[in-house]
Each structure stands twice: as C-alpha cells, then as structure tokens.
Amino acid sequence: MKYASWLRRFLPDGLTIRVQGTCPERFLSQCVAAGIRFARLSPFPGGFTARIPAWQYRYLYAPARQCDVQVRIQKRRGPGFRLARLWRRPGLLLGLLLFAFIVRGSENLLWATRYVEIPEPLRPQLREQLAGCGLYPGAWVTEPLVRQAERAILEQTETYGWLGLNFAKGRLVVEQLPAEIKPEEPTLWDCNLVAAADALVLRTDVASGFLLCTKGQTVAKGDVLIGKNRLDRSRNLLTQKTMGTVTGLVQKNYSCTQPLKCQKPMLTGLLWQSREILFMGKCRQLPGPKPPSGLVAGKTQTCGLQLLGLALPLSIRTRFWAQKTVQTVQLNPKTAEQMARLACREKLYKDYPDAIIRQEKWEINQNKEEYICNLEVLLEANIAKPEE
Amino acid sequence: MKKHRAERKGKEALRDVTLPFRSGLLCIQVGGAAQLEGCGPVLAFDENRLTVETGTTLINFYGSELTIEAFGQKRMRIRGSLQRVEFESKREKP
C-alpha cells in the first residue's frame, strides 16, 4: 500500500472535496502551511469546495480534526481511479490474459490459408486437396503433416511443377510454380518391336536396335520391325535394346452397335447436401433431415468460417450428393447414330492413339431395335509395338 | 569598536528596508484577477470578501463571485469581479 500511495504522486489524479465546518478558513490555512496545494476554491455558506491532488488527501485528516471540519469527496478523476476500478473487476483482466493464452496456445491451429500467385480457378481444387490431406482451418498442424501434404498433392496433380507449403503462427502460405511440359521420353524395350497390323511402311525412325524393314515395304501383323539381336561378320551375337517408331499405312474396319432402347443409371435431378464441422481432426455432422436413398457422392467443398471478416479455426465441409436411378432410355435415331460413330472412333484411337486418318467410309445400318455402324478407315500411325 | 557598532547599525537599517519586500507582492489585473505572492493564512473567505494575512498587513478583497483559482505555498491566484482592495495594518487592529 505504501508503494501504491507513492506511485500515485506520479499520476495526475485529482479529488474534488467539500469542506464544511465551524472554521474552514483555519483549516485551509493549516493545509496550505502543511504543503497541500488547493485549486478552484469556491465558497459557499459554512465552507468551500476545492480540488486537491489525490495523493495529498491523507494529509487532510489531522487539520480536519483540529479545526473540526467535515471533509467529503465529491468527485474522483484521473487514470489511477479508472485503473483502481478495473482492479476491482479481476474478471476483465483475467479474460484478457485468458485470450492471450488461448491465442498463444493455438498457434499450431490452422486459422487461415494464403495462396500466393495461384490463379483463382485452381484454388478450389487445391483447397480440397489440402483438406483431403488434413490441412483445413481448424486442423492441428505439424511439420511432418505439411511435408506429407506437399508430397501427396505433387503426386496427385501434374499441374504444379513445385508446391511450397509454409506454416507459421496459424497461417498456411501456399506457393506454386506451374509444371513445364516435357516431351515424353521413348521407352527402351528389351524385346523386338513387331508390327501391330498389316501395313505399308511409310517412315522409320530407329533410336536403338536393328531395323529389319525398309520404307515402302509391306509388312504383316507380327513381323519384326526393329530387332533386338543381330549376328556380326564373325557370327557373334550382338544384342541391343530397341527403341523407335515405324509409321505405316494401315487399313482397318470397326463395327459398333447402338441399341435404341437401353438401361442406364440416370440423374433424377434431386440434389442433396450434407454439412459437417471439422476441428482438430474431428468431424461432426450437422443436424439435418434424413437423406433419400440412391444417392451418389459428388463434389466436396471445404471452407473456413469467418466472423466479421476474421478467420476462425473452424471449417465446414459440404458434401454434394445426386440421386441416380436405372432408367430405360429411348434414344432418337440421330443420337443413336452419333453414339455409334463415337464408339467406333473411340475404338480406333484406343488402338492407334497417334493415328492420322487418310480416308474413312461410314456404313450405317438401321433395324427396329439398334443401329449398326461400320467404319472402314485408312490411317497413318506407328505400328511398332513390343513383342509379347 | 566604533567601527563595528556603525556596521551593526547599518545592517539593522538594511533589514528594515527589505522587510516590506519579504511581506508580499500583489498584482491586480484589469478585469478582476489578482495574484498574491508571500501570502499567509486566510482569515475570512466568502463570495464577496476574502481576507488574507501577509506578514504585518491584512489584505481585504471585496467583490462578487470571488474564487481562489490556486492556493499553494505563499502564493494565491484570485478570480472574480474585484471591486475594492483594502490594506490594513495588523498593529492598528485593536
């Protein structure tokens, strides 16, 4: 308490006092002689009001007793009294301390994510990938988890050439560099490369192995185009791995059937969404009505909660569902024809992904129940494939 | 000895001369404010009259709405509409 009264001398705290009694003038003179400074003295019958520094109030007791006057405090002003008022309410101070403690303790919680130089269209997908790896607002983040997520996302997508995740004081900073498209390196095979179909050789490009065909030669399916072994002049066996392409002119026929009536799982138009709260690795479903049957999981969206623009360490994951039922679909003739053509082309490009079509001839036959599509095509493609 | 007596007499005379300066200094502003230095105890204080003792003199301030702006060690600042100031010797008082 001694220190408190000594400290008060340095605070500009003031008191307005009301002095009343038989001899207030004598009291005033005694106080001034004792070194008390008065200000704004205004008289009233039988006394006066004045302002004094708060720390000098205790020196009024003795003169007041001697002069038989009554001293009353009318008003207290100054920062010291305000602090004292706060001191009497420890809950406020405790709340402040508790808040500081919580903020310090929750530094490992993910509060917000910042994307640096990541285009807006890529962000939702990246956010979902991060959430899938356990990095969402409200997650308890550790360094191994961040590094693991970095590796997992780089493996999942080829969009990013480099992905950097840095977590510090509740904020995850995501940086990336786009991937550069590299030409595919041709594979070295430890076997002969043979013709995939009967063809006329147009071009050859051998990087390794021994070429066993020439330009303009007709080859049959299964003929060796690039060989692995060869005998030299001394009849010694030379072995080399094979690599290269042989472009040939191939004639092929494809046939596809498209029924006019078919049974397929179709969307009914009913969409359903469920919400769940994510916090520190725990997930709790928000209450809602019961979902109908036959739902198929669709997109998932995870977003952090915000309060008046401030990010909170909580996430809400919304799952979207769609209802699908098996229905009998009646196709119109034009659609059926298009689907049959599409199926033929899909077969063609599955066999020869690099095919260049020189000529094509479509033949479509229709009966009551189905469409039959025949494709006769002359194409240019790599016909060298490893021997099985 | 004579010389010493003369010196002592001179010092006493000097003390008498400086006495009025020690007793106080009154400064009155046109408009009603007054400042008094070297003041002693307040003998009477109400809205219309303020009596202050300064050494051997009593000073009476008369006016209306008289207040003491500040009052510390031997220094006082008075506000209000001053009408009259009276100086009264304490020795003349019966």
Side-chain angles (χ1 to χ4, degrees):
Chain A
M1 282 305 286
K2 270 184 181 178
Y3 292 112
S5 63
W6 179 79
L7 273 173
R8 287 199 108 168
R9 293 183 182 205
F10 302 99
L11 290 172
D13 292 340
L15 289 172
T16 304
I17 53 164
R18 183 186 169 88
V19 180
Q20 204 166 11
T22 50
C23 195
E25 289 89 356
R26 198 175 136 218
F27 167 76
L28 180 64
S29 303
Q30 278 193 17
C31 288
V32 170
I36 297 168
R37 288 179 284 121
F38 285 84
R40 299 196 186 178
L41 276 126
S42 56
F44 63 84
F48 61 88
T49 58
R51 279 190 191 182
I52 57 162
W55 66 273
Q56 289 185 331
Y57 180 72
R58 56 204 287 259
Y59 301 111
L60 300 182
Y61 301 158
R65 265 198 304 275
Q66 283 172 17
C67 304
D68 194 23
V69 292
Q70 196 180 24
V71 182
R72 277 186 185 173
I73 297 169
Q74 270 191 336
K75 206 171 183 179
R76 294 175 175 88
R77 56 169 66 80
F81 291 112
R82 282 191 210 116
L83 281 174
R85 236 174 278 155
L86 273 179
W87 191 250
R88 282 196 291 273
R89 297 176 68 183
L92 289 173
L93 199 68
L94 205 69
L96 206 70
L97 284 173
L98 194 68
F99 176 74
F101 180 74
I102 288 171
V103 168
R104 181 79 181 85
S106 62
E107 269 185 0
N108 270 34
L109 274 181
L110 177 58
W111 288 69
T113 312
R114 190 179 159 215
Y115 300 94
V116 180
E117 290 178 13
I118 295 179
E120 195 64 43
L122 288 178
R123 288 184 189 183
Q125 190 202 353
L126 188 55
R127 195 179 296 130
E128 290 314 311
Q129 283 176 327
L130 286 170
C133 297
L135 292 174
Y136 49 82
W140 189 260
V141 182
T142 54
E143 192 61 26
L145 181 69
V146 172
R147 299 283 84 86
Q148 197 182 330
E150 214 173 62
R151 281 196 298 275
I153 294 170
L154 274 176
E155 279 170 16
Q156 278 170 22
T157 44
E158 292 173 352
T159 322
Y160 314 112
W162 169 81
L163 186 79
L165 300 179
N166 296 302
F167 180 76
K169 294 187 175 177
R171 174 184 283 190
L172 182 72
V173 180
V174 187
E175 295 167 287
Q176 62 99 23
L177 283 176
E180 288 174 4
I181 299 162
K182 287 181 186 172
E184 271 188 37
E185 285 182 14
T187 324
L188 268 172
W189 298 100
D190 201 13
C191 59
N192 293 327
L193 294 183
V194 296
D198 300 343
L200 176 71
V201 177
L202 296 175
R203 285 185 301 278
T204 55
D205 179 14
V206 180
S208 178
F210 307 105
L211 183 66
L212 301 174
C213 63
T214 53
K215 186 183 167 186
Q217 186 186 338
T218 307
V219 290
K221 186 180 178 183
D223 285 355
V224 178
L225 301 176
I226 301 169
K228 180 188 164 192
N229 302 317
R230 190 181 168 182
L231 293 171
D232 66 358
R233 286 179 187 172
S234 317
R235 313 286 298 168
N236 293 326
L237 187 68
L238 298 173
T239 305
Q240 213 173 31
K241 286 191 176 180
T242 54
M243 185 169 79
T245 58
V246 175
T247 310
L249 197 63
V250 186
Q251 191 171 12
K252 291 288 285 185
N253 280 314
Y254 292 100
S255 178
C256 287
T257 307
Q258 177 64 49
L260 286 168
K261 265 187 187 176
C262 58
Q263 286 203 328
K264 280 189 173 177
M266 299 286 284
L267 291 167
T268 58
L270 180 75
L271 286 171
W272 187 262
Q273 60 182 37
S274 64
R275 288 203 172 99
E276 47 200 28
I277 284 188
L278 303 174
F279 180 66
M280 288 180 75
K282 286 177 184 170
C283 173
R284 178 161 287 187
Q285 187 93 24
L286 286 174
K290 282 187 178 177
S293 60
L295 292 178
V296 180
K299 224 170 85 175
T300 309
Q301 202 178 349
T302 313
C303 58
L305 272 182
Q306 287 195 342
L307 181 70
L308 302 170
L310 290 169
L312 295 177
L314 267 181
S315 282
I316 288 199
R317 181 188 283 162
T318 314
R319 288 179 193 275
F320 295 93
W321 309 78
Q323 197 180 39
K324 271 187 178 178
T325 52
V326 178
Q327 290 175 5
T328 309
V329 184
Q330 176 73 46
L331 297 174
N332 63 26
K334 203 175 173 182
T335 312
E337 188 191 323
Q338 292 291 332
M339 285 181 78
R341 278 173 186 260
L342 185 69
C344 282
R345 279 206 190 279
E346 274 177 355
K347 271 188 181 177
L348 189 157
Y349 283 108
K350 194 181 172 189
D351 290 348
Y352 303 99
D354 59 336
I356 300 165
I357 295 168
R358 287 277 188 86
Q359 275 178 17
E360 60 179 1
K361 192 181 166 189
W362 294 96
E363 193 187 321
I364 292 156
N365 299 316
Q366 182 189 0
N367 59 29
K368 278 186 180 176
E369 289 182 351
E370 58 191 17
Y371 260 76
I372 302 160
C373 182
N374 288 312
L375 171 64
E376 198 180 323
V377 65
L378 191 66
L379 57 94
E380 210 179 280
N382 177 25
I383 55 165
K385 68 164 190 179
E387 192 179 20
E388 285 169 0
Chain B
M1 286 295 286
K2 280 181 183 177
K3 194 183 174 184
H4 287 296
R5 272 179 201 162
E7 273 180 7
R8 207 180 294 151
K9 272 185 181 176
K11 274 185 183 175
E12 279 170 4
L14 194 68
R15 200 183 298 150
D16 288 342
V17 171
T18 52
L19 263 174
F21 294 102
R22 282 184 185 175
S23 60
L25 177 71
L26 176 64
C27 184
I28 300 173
Q29 273 184 355
V30 179
Q35 193 162 329
L36 181 62
E37 280 182 27
C39 59
V42 174
L43 300 181
F45 181 37
D46 60 46
E47 276 193 341
N48 305 317
R49 183 189 165 204
L50 170 67
T51 306
V52 187
E53 189 184 317
T54 55
T56 54
T57 315
L58 294 176
I59 306 176
N60 293 306
F61 296 90
Y62 293 95
S64 58
E65 295 173 2
L66 292 179
T67 56
I68 300 174
E69 185 73 17
F71 189 16
Q73 282 263 312
K74 296 187 174 181
R75 189 172 289 185
M76 178 187 283
R77 204 162 54 245
I78 303 157
R79 283 208 182 271
S81 54
L82 273 176
Q83 288 165 0
R84 199 171 82 229
V85 182
E86 273 183 9
F87 297 89
E88 193 180 330
S89 175
K90 269 168 83 176
R91 287 168 197 161
E92 287 172 13
K93 258 194 163 178

PDB file of all heavy atoms in Angstrom, chain A residues 287-316:
ATOM      1  N   PRO A 287     -26.851 -31.344 -37.769  1.00  0.00           N
ATOM      2  CA  PRO A 287     -28.173 -31.975 -37.864  1.00  0.00           C
ATOM      3  C   PRO A 287     -28.941 -31.510 -39.098  1.00  0.00           C
ATOM      4  O   PRO A 287     -28.831 -30.368 -39.520  1.00  0.00           O
ATOM      5  CB  PRO A 287     -28.869 -31.529 -36.563  1.00  0.00           C
ATOM      6  CG  PRO A 287     -28.110 -30.349 -36.090  1.00  0.00           C
ATOM      7  CD  PRO A 287     -26.722 -30.480 -36.599  1.00  0.00           C
ATOM      8  N   GLY A 288     -29.681 -32.420 -39.662  1.00  0.00           N
ATOM      9  CA  GLY A 288     -30.469 -32.100 -40.853  1.00  0.00           C
ATOM     10  C   GLY A 288     -31.431 -33.234 -41.145  1.00  0.00           C
ATOM     11  O   GLY A 288     -31.397 -34.271 -40.478  1.00  0.00           O
ATOM     12  N   PRO A 289     -32.292 -33.077 -42.148  1.00  0.00           N
ATOM     13  CA  PRO A 289     -33.235 -34.151 -42.475  1.00  0.00           C
ATOM     14  C   PRO A 289     -32.515 -35.376 -43.044  1.00  0.00           C
ATOM     15  O   PRO A 289     -31.392 -35.274 -43.526  1.00  0.00           O
ATOM     16  CB  PRO A 289     -34.151 -33.506 -43.525  1.00  0.00           C
ATOM     17  CG  PRO A 289     -33.409 -32.332 -44.030  1.00  0.00           C
ATOM     18  CD  PRO A 289     -32.481 -31.887 -42.965  1.00  0.00           C
ATOM     19  N   LYS A 290     -33.205 -36.520 -42.968  1.00  0.00           N
ATOM     20  CA  LYS A 290     -32.585 -37.776 -43.413  1.00  0.00           C
ATOM     21  C   LYS A 290     -32.442 -37.788 -44.936  1.00  0.00           C
ATOM     22  O   LYS A 290     -33.343 -37.344 -45.652  1.00  0.00           O
ATOM     23  CB  LYS A 290     -33.446 -38.960 -42.973  1.00  0.00           C
ATOM     24  CG  LYS A 290     -33.250 -39.292 -41.519  1.00  0.00           C
ATOM     25  CD  LYS A 290     -33.994 -40.567 -41.166  1.00  0.00           C
ATOM     26  CE  LYS A 290     -33.743 -40.922 -39.706  1.00  0.00           C
ATOM     27  NZ  LYS A 290     -34.499 -42.100 -39.309  1.00  0.00           N
ATOM     28  N   PRO A 291     -31.304 -38.286 -45.442  1.00  0.00           N
ATOM     29  CA  PRO A 291     -31.120 -38.297 -46.900  1.00  0.00           C
ATOM     30  C   PRO A 291     -31.971 -39.387 -47.570  1.00  0.00           C
ATOM     31  O   PRO A 291     -32.180 -40.447 -46.995  1.00  0.00           O
ATOM     32  CB  PRO A 291     -29.633 -38.598 -47.055  1.00  0.00           C
ATOM     33  CG  PRO A 291     -29.240 -39.280 -45.809  1.00  0.00           C
ATOM     34  CD  PRO A 291     -30.138 -38.793 -44.737  1.00  0.00           C
ATOM     35  N   PRO A 292     -32.453 -39.119 -48.793  1.00  0.00           N
ATOM     36  CA  PRO A 292     -33.194 -40.159 -49.515  1.00  0.00           C
ATOM     37  C   PRO A 292     -32.241 -41.246 -50.025  1.00  0.00           C
ATOM     38  O   PRO A 292     -31.027 -41.063 -50.015  1.00  0.00           O
ATOM     39  CB  PRO A 292     -33.835 -39.387 -50.670  1.00  0.00           C
ATOM     40  CG  PRO A 292     -33.009 -38.175 -50.833  1.00  0.00           C
ATOM     41  CD  PRO A 292     -32.371 -37.882 -49.533  1.00  0.00           C
ATOM     42  N   SER A 293     -32.803 -42.358 -50.506  1.00  0.00           N
ATOM     43  CA  SER A 293     -31.953 -43.477 -50.943  1.00  0.00           C
ATOM     44  C   SER A 293     -31.451 -43.242 -52.371  1.00  0.00           C
ATOM     45  O   SER A 293     -31.963 -42.396 -53.101  1.00  0.00           O
ATOM     46  CB  SER A 293     -32.763 -44.772 -50.866  1.00  0.00           C
ATOM     47  OG  SER A 293     -33.882 -44.636 -51.705  1.00  0.00           O
ATOM     48  N   GLY A 294     -30.478 -44.020 -52.750  1.00  0.00           N
ATOM     49  CA  GLY A 294     -29.947 -43.993 -54.114  1.00  0.00           C
ATOM     50  C   GLY A 294     -29.088 -42.785 -54.409  1.00  0.00           C
ATOM     51  O   GLY A 294     -29.050 -42.309 -55.541  1.00  0.00           O
ATOM     52  N   LEU A 295     -28.396 -42.287 -53.402  1.00  0.00           N
ATOM     53  CA  LEU A 295     -27.558 -41.103 -53.614  1.00  0.00           C
ATOM     54  C   LEU A 295     -26.146 -41.509 -54.021  1.00  0.00           C
ATOM     55  O   LEU A 295     -25.606 -42.491 -53.531  1.00  0.00           O
ATOM     56  CB  LEU A 295     -27.480 -40.260 -52.342  1.00  0.00           C
ATOM     57  CG  LEU A 295     -28.773 -39.560 -51.908  1.00  0.00           C
ATOM     58  CD1 LEU A 295     -28.553 -38.807 -50.623  1.00  0.00           C
ATOM     59  CD2 LEU A 295     -29.249 -38.590 -52.979  1.00  0.00           C
ATOM     60  N   VAL A 296     -25.599 -40.710 -54.904  1.00  0.00           N
ATOM     61  CA  VAL A 296     -24.223 -40.948 -55.347  1.00  0.00           C
ATOM     62  C   VAL A 296     -23.406 -39.718 -54.953  1.00  0.00           C
ATOM     63  O   VAL A 296     -23.818 -38.590 -55.217  1.00  0.00           O
ATOM     64  CB  VAL A 296     -24.178 -41.152 -56.885  1.00  0.00           C
ATOM     65  CG1 VAL A 296     -22.759 -41.403 -57.328  1.00  0.00           C
ATOM     66  CG2 VAL A 296     -25.084 -42.293 -57.292  1.00  0.00           C
ATOM     67  N   ALA A 297     -22.265 -39.974 -54.309  1.00  0.00           N
ATOM     68  CA  ALA A 297     -21.441 -38.852 -53.832  1.00  0.00           C
ATOM     69  C   ALA A 297     -20.893 -38.043 -54.996  1.00  0.00           C
ATOM     70  O   ALA A 297     -20.482 -38.593 -56.013  1.00  0.00           O
ATOM     71  CB  ALA A 297     -20.299 -39.390 -52.993  1.00  0.00           C
ATOM     72  N   GLY A 298     -20.938 -36.740 -54.822  1.00  0.00           N
ATOM     73  CA  GLY A 298     -20.419 -35.847 -55.866  1.00  0.00           C
ATOM     74  C   GLY A 298     -19.281 -35.005 -55.329  1.00  0.00           C
ATOM     75  O   GLY A 298     -18.374 -35.524 -54.678  1.00  0.00           O
ATOM     76  N   LYS A 299     -19.385 -33.705 -55.580  1.00  0.00           N
ATOM     77  CA  LYS A 299     -18.307 -32.801 -55.195  1.00  0.00           C
ATOM     78  C   LYS A 299     -18.263 -32.572 -53.673  1.00  0.00           C
ATOM     79  O   LYS A 299     -19.276 -32.704 -53.001  1.00  0.00           O
ATOM     80  CB  LYS A 299     -18.568 -31.443 -55.870  1.00  0.00           C
ATOM     81  CG  LYS A 299     -17.343 -30.820 -56.473  1.00  0.00           C
ATOM     82  CD  LYS A 299     -17.723 -29.633 -57.306  1.00  0.00           C
ATOM     83  CE  LYS A 299     -17.860 -28.398 -56.471  1.00  0.00           C
ATOM     84  NZ  LYS A 299     -18.111 -27.199 -57.267  1.00  0.00           N
ATOM     85  N   THR A 300     -17.113 -32.232 -53.177  1.00  0.00           N
ATOM     86  CA  THR A 300     -16.945 -31.858 -51.768  1.00  0.00           C
ATOM     87  C   THR A 300     -16.339 -30.459 -51.713  1.00  0.00           C
ATOM     88  O   THR A 300     -15.439 -30.150 -52.492  1.00  0.00           O
ATOM     89  CB  THR A 300     -16.004 -32.844 -51.058  1.00  0.00           C
ATOM     90  OG1 THR A 300     -16.455 -34.151 -51.322  1.00  0.00           O
ATOM     91  CG2 THR A 300     -15.974 -32.622 -49.570  1.00  0.00           C
ATOM     92  N   GLN A 301     -16.860 -29.662 -50.813  1.00  0.00           N
ATOM     93  CA  GLN A 301     -16.368 -28.283 -50.693  1.00  0.00           C
ATOM     94  C   GLN A 301     -16.037 -28.008 -49.228  1.00  0.00           C
ATOM     95  O   GLN A 301     -16.880 -28.220 -48.354  1.00  0.00           O
ATOM     96  CB  GLN A 301     -17.474 -27.343 -51.178  1.00  0.00           C
ATOM     97  CG  GLN A 301     -16.964 -25.998 -51.598  1.00  0.00           C
ATOM     98  CD  GLN A 301     -18.089 -25.120 -52.104  1.00  0.00           C
ATOM     99  OE1 GLN A 301     -19.198 -25.565 -52.333  1.00  0.00           O
ATOM    100  NE2 GLN A 301     -17.800 -23.869 -52.269  1.00  0.00           N
ATOM    101  N   THR A 302     -14.848 -27.547 -48.963  1.00  0.00           N
ATOM    102  CA  THR A 302     -14.445 -27.231 -47.581  1.00  0.00           C
ATOM    103  C   THR A 302     -14.112 -25.753 -47.498  1.00  0.00           C
ATOM    104  O   THR A 302     -13.330 -25.257 -48.305  1.00  0.00           O
ATOM    105  CB  THR A 302     -13.203 -28.051 -47.169  1.00  0.00           C
ATOM    106  OG1 THR A 302     -13.421 -29.402 -47.532  1.00  0.00           O
ATOM    107  CG2 THR A 302     -12.935 -27.954 -45.692  1.00  0.00           C
ATOM    108  N   CYS A 303     -14.734 -25.073 -46.571  1.00  0.00           N
ATOM    109  CA  CYS A 303     -14.400 -23.644 -46.433  1.00  0.00           C
ATOM    110  C   CYS A 303     -14.302 -23.284 -44.949  1.00  0.00           C
ATOM    111  O   CYS A 303     -14.989 -23.864 -44.104  1.00  0.00           O
ATOM    112  CB  CYS A 303     -15.424 -22.767 -47.143  1.00  0.00           C
ATOM    113  SG  CYS A 303     -17.071 -22.974 -46.581  1.00  0.00           S
ATOM    114  N   GLY A 304     -13.423 -22.346 -44.667  1.00  0.00           N
ATOM    115  CA  GLY A 304     -13.212 -21.903 -43.291  1.00  0.00           C
ATOM    116  C   GLY A 304     -14.301 -20.936 -42.859  1.00  0.00           C
ATOM    117  O   GLY A 304     -14.866 -20.239 -43.694  1.00  0.00           O
ATOM    118  N   LEU A 305     -14.560 -20.915 -41.564  1.00  0.00           N
ATOM    119  CA  LEU A 305     -15.585 -19.992 -41.042  1.00  0.00           C
ATOM    120  C   LEU A 305     -14.971 -18.620 -40.790  1.00  0.00           C
ATOM    121  O   LEU A 305     -13.792 -18.520 -40.428  1.00  0.00           O
ATOM    122  CB  LEU A 305     -16.139 -20.535 -39.736  1.00  0.00           C
ATOM    123  CG  LEU A 305     -17.316 -21.480 -39.818  1.00  0.00           C
ATOM    124  CD1 LEU A 305     -17.747 -21.853 -38.423  1.00  0.00           C
ATOM    125  CD2 LEU A 305     -18.474 -20.852 -40.544  1.00  0.00           C
ATOM    126  N   GLN A 306     -15.770 -17.601 -40.971  1.00  0.00           N
ATOM    127  CA  GLN A 306     -15.290 -16.228 -40.717  1.00  0.00           C
ATOM    128  C   GLN A 306     -16.314 -15.510 -39.856  1.00  0.00           C
ATOM    129  O   GLN A 306     -17.510 -15.718 -39.997  1.00  0.00           O
ATOM    130  CB  GLN A 306     -15.111 -15.484 -42.026  1.00  0.00           C
ATOM    131  CG  GLN A 306     -13.903 -15.959 -42.808  1.00  0.00           C
ATOM    132  CD  GLN A 306     -13.521 -15.000 -43.895  1.00  0.00           C
ATOM    133  OE1 GLN A 306     -14.326 -14.166 -44.289  1.00  0.00           O
ATOM    134  NE2 GLN A 306     -12.307 -15.109 -44.387  1.00  0.00           N
ATOM    135  N   LEU A 307     -15.794 -14.655 -38.975  1.00  0.00           N
ATOM    136  CA  LEU A 307     -16.662 -13.826 -38.141  1.00  0.00           C
ATOM    137  C   LEU A 307     -16.274 -12.373 -38.376  1.00  0.00           C
ATOM    138  O   LEU A 307     -15.143 -11.971 -38.039  1.00  0.00           O
ATOM    139  CB  LEU A 307     -16.494 -14.203 -36.668  1.00  0.00           C
ATOM    140  CG  LEU A 307     -17.356 -13.430 -35.678  1.00  0.00           C
ATOM    141  CD1 LEU A 307     -18.812 -13.827 -35.813  1.00  0.00           C
ATOM    142  CD2 LEU A 307     -16.877 -13.659 -34.268  1.00  0.00           C
ATOM    143  N   LEU A 308     -17.144 -11.617 -38.983  1.00  0.00           N
ATOM    144  CA  LEU A 308     -16.907 -10.197 -39.328  1.00  0.00           C
ATOM    145  C   LEU A 308     -15.578 -10.025 -40.067  1.00  0.00           C
ATOM    146  O   LEU A 308     -14.777  -9.144 -39.767  1.00  0.00           O
ATOM    147  CB  LEU A 308     -16.925  -9.323 -38.058  1.00  0.00           C
ATOM    148  CG  LEU A 308     -18.202  -9.369 -37.225  1.00  0.00           C
ATOM    149  CD1 LEU A 308     -18.000  -8.662 -35.905  1.00  0.00           C
ATOM    150  CD2 LEU A 308     -19.359  -8.739 -37.971  1.00  0.00           C
ATOM    151  N   GLY A 309     -15.329 -10.917 -40.993  1.00  0.00           N
ATOM    152  CA  GLY A 309     -14.118 -10.820 -41.802  1.00  0.00           C
ATOM    153  C   GLY A 309     -12.885 -11.440 -41.174  1.00  0.00           C
ATOM    154  O   GLY A 309     -11.844 -11.491 -41.808  1.00  0.00           O
ATOM    155  N   LEU A 310     -13.014 -11.919 -39.912  1.00  0.00           N
ATOM    156  CA  LEU A 310     -11.862 -12.543 -39.246  1.00  0.00           C
ATOM    157  C   LEU A 310     -11.982 -14.056 -39.373  1.00  0.00           C
ATOM    158  O   LEU A 310     -13.039 -14.621 -39.101  1.00  0.00           O
ATOM    159  CB  LEU A 310     -11.831 -12.157 -37.769  1.00  0.00           C
ATOM    160  CG  LEU A 310     -11.493 -10.709 -37.462  1.00  0.00           C
ATOM    161  CD1 LEU A 310     -11.759 -10.421 -36.001  1.00  0.00           C
ATOM    162  CD2 LEU A 310     -10.041 -10.428 -37.790  1.00  0.00           C
ATOM    163  N   ALA A 311     -10.883 -14.675 -39.775  1.00  0.00           N
ATOM    164  CA  ALA A 311     -10.897 -16.129 -39.962  1.00  0.00           C
ATOM    165  C   ALA A 311     -10.925 -16.818 -38.599  1.00  0.00           C
ATOM    166  O   ALA A 311     -10.273 -16.378 -37.659  1.00  0.00           O
ATOM    167  CB  ALA A 311      -9.664 -16.542 -40.732  1.00  0.00           C
ATOM    168  N   LEU A 312     -11.701 -17.886 -38.520  1.00  0.00           N
ATOM    169  CA  LEU A 312     -11.780 -18.674 -37.287  1.00  0.00           C
ATOM    170  C   LEU A 312     -11.191 -20.054 -37.558  1.00  0.00           C
ATOM    171  O   LEU A 312     -11.226 -20.532 -38.683  1.00  0.00           O
ATOM    172  CB  LEU A 312     -13.239 -18.822 -36.842  1.00  0.00           C
ATOM    173  CG  LEU A 312     -13.963 -17.551 -36.440  1.00  0.00           C
ATOM    174  CD1 LEU A 312     -15.408 -17.870 -36.099  1.00  0.00           C
ATOM    175  CD2 LEU A 312     -13.301 -16.922 -35.232  1.00  0.00           C
ATOM    176  N   PRO A 313     -10.631 -20.679 -36.522  1.00  0.00           N
ATOM    177  CA  PRO A 313     -10.062 -22.012 -36.749  1.00  0.00           C
ATOM    178  C   PRO A 313     -11.132 -23.105 -36.772  1.00  0.00           C
ATOM    179  O   PRO A 313     -11.143 -24.004 -35.953  1.00  0.00           O
ATOM    180  CB  PRO A 313      -9.104 -22.172 -35.567  1.00  0.00           C
ATOM    181  CG  PRO A 313      -9.699 -21.360 -34.497  1.00  0.00           C
ATOM    182  CD  PRO A 313     -10.430 -20.231 -35.136  1.00  0.00           C
ATOM    183  N   LEU A 314     -12.041 -23.005 -37.694  1.00  0.00           N
ATOM    184  CA  LEU A 314     -13.123 -23.978 -37.858  1.00  0.00           C
ATOM    185  C   LEU A 314     -13.429 -24.112 -39.338  1.00  0.00           C
ATOM    186  O   LEU A 314     -13.344 -23.133 -40.079  1.00  0.00           O
ATOM    187  CB  LEU A 314     -14.396 -23.469 -37.169  1.00  0.00           C
ATOM    188  CG  LEU A 314     -14.686 -23.873 -35.736  1.00  0.00           C
ATOM    189  CD1 LEU A 314     -15.992 -23.267 -35.298  1.00  0.00           C
ATOM    190  CD2 LEU A 314     -14.738 -25.363 -35.571  1.00  0.00           C
ATOM    191  N   SER A 315     -13.784 -25.296 -39.756  1.00  0.00           N
ATOM    192  CA  SER A 315     -14.122 -25.500 -41.168  1.00  0.00           C
ATOM    193  C   SER A 315     -15.471 -26.174 -41.291  1.00  0.00           C
ATOM    194  O   SER A 315     -15.867 -26.944 -40.415  1.00  0.00           O
ATOM    195  CB  SER A 315     -13.087 -26.383 -41.831  1.00  0.00           C
ATOM    196  OG  SER A 315     -11.957 -25.652 -42.112  1.00  0.00           O
ATOM    197  N   ILE A 316     -16.126 -25.844 -42.384  1.00  0.00           N
ATOM    198  CA  ILE A 316     -17.382 -26.547 -42.695  1.00  0.00           C
ATOM    199  C   ILE A 316     -17.193 -27.255 -44.022  1.00  0.00           C
ATOM    200  O   ILE A 316     -16.792 -26.630 -45.004  1.00  0.00           O
ATOM    201  CB  ILE A 316     -18.562 -25.569 -42.725  1.00  0.00           C
ATOM    202  CG1 ILE A 316     -18.883 -25.144 -41.301  1.00  0.00           C
ATOM    203  CG2 ILE A 316     -19.770 -26.189 -43.408  1.00  0.00           C
ATOM    204  CD1 ILE A 316     -20.224 -24.568 -41.086  1.00  0.00           C
TER     205      ILE A 316
END
